[in-house]
């Protein structure tokens, strides 16, 4: 049987203190990530919290904001901090996954196209089977060169570049159905 782990990436209060606001997608994200975490708990899948830290600002440990989003109350087997976009390098997580004989990582959290997607790519390159649960990720619109990509655009783009290359794309329900 494949050993799985759920990575809850950057679901931290820091984001709402760097100019990001709740969006129309926030309530659905909160329901989805909560259902995924609870479903994993009921199946005995360990949960790891991953927090992004920086030297200054709302992502610094001194800010007091490198804490879970308030609606999340889950138990974790491990908490790691990262200073890069992916959760596996420089955080100690990859060594821990190897020690636990983990073969499959499930990814959820914030931001869909940044730390979540980057973690999926790196995990795949390291040989892990990856499940990306897009509806349990959250992001915010991005503007560049006068073009704004909506949350839907960013999710579609992330799924398009990950599917059949780096990760299986699943809904919460599909992901949980595939777990033992």
């Amino acid at each position: 049987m494949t050993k799985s782990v759920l990575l809850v990436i950057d679901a931290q209060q820091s984001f709402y203190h760097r100019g990001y606001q709740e969006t129309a997608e926030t309530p659905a994200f909160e329901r989805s990530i909560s259902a995924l975490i609870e479903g994993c708990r009921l199946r005995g899948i360990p949960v790891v919290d991953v927090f992004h830290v920086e030297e200054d600002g709302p992502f610094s440990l001194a800010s007091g904001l490198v804490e879970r989003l308030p609606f999340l109350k889950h138990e974790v087997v491990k908490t790691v901090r990262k200073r890069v976009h992916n959760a596996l390098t420089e955080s100690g997580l990859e060594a821990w996954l190897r020690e636990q004989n983990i073969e499959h990582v499930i990814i959820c959290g914030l931001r869909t196209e940044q730390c979540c997607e980057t973690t999926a790519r790196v995990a795949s390159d390291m040989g892990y089977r990856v499940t990306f649960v897009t509806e349990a990720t959250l992001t915010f619109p991005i503007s560049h060169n006068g073009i704004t990509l909506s949350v839907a655009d960013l999710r579609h783009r992330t799924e398009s570049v990950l599917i059949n290359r780096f990760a299986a794309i699943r809904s919460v329900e599909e992901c949980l159905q595939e777990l033992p």
Side-chain angles (χ1 to χ4, degrees), residues 6-11 16 23 25-34 36 69 106-117 120 131-140 151 154-156 158-159 162 169-172:
L6 175 63
L7 303 181
V8 181
I9 300 173
D10 299 349
Y16 297 111
T23 67
E25 291 83 3
T26 301
F29 161 73
E30 290 180 0
R31 286 188 302 274
S32 294
I33 195 170
S34 296
L36 181 61
L69 292 170
I106 304 163
I107 295 177
C108 66
L110 272 73
R111 294 193 52 183
T112 308
E113 78 292 352
Q114 289 184 25
C115 295
C116 293
E117 179 183 324
T131 300
F132 195 91
V133 186
T134 312
E135 71 180 328
T137 68
L138 181 65
T139 195
F140 311 95
V151 170
L154 291 165
R155 285 182 172 159
H156 178 76
T158 296
E159 288 182 351
L162 291 179
I169 307 300
R170 299 290 185 262
S171 67
V172 170

Side-chain angles (χ1 to χ4, degrees), residues 46-71:
V47 178
V48 173
D49 276 346
V50 178
F51 294 115
H52 188 85
V53 295
E54 296 176 357
E55 291 298 318
D56 299 309
F59 286 85
S60 72
L61 294 175
S63 73
L65 299 170
V66 181
E67 298 288 334
R68 269 190 215 144
L69 292 170
F71 70 93

Side-chain angles (χ1 to χ4, degrees), residues 120-121 124-125 128-132 134 156-170 178:
R121 288 171 178 259
S124 175
D125 284 350
Y128 295 97
R129 185 168 64 88
V130 179
T131 300
F132 195 91
T134 312
H156 178 76
R157 181 217 150 272
T158 296
E159 288 182 351
S160 296
V161 299
L162 291 179
I163 196 165
N164 299 324
R165 292 175 195 89
F166 299 100
I169 307 300
R170 299 290 185 262
E178 291 176 358

Side-chain angles (χ1 to χ4, degrees), residues 9 18 42-43 74 80 86 92 101 107 109 127-128 149 157 160:
I9 300 173
R18 188 179 262 173
L42 290 172
R43 288 161 178 79
H74 57 277
V80 298
N86 82 82
N101 297 312
I107 295 177
Y128 295 97
L149 298 178
R157 181 217 150 272
S160 296

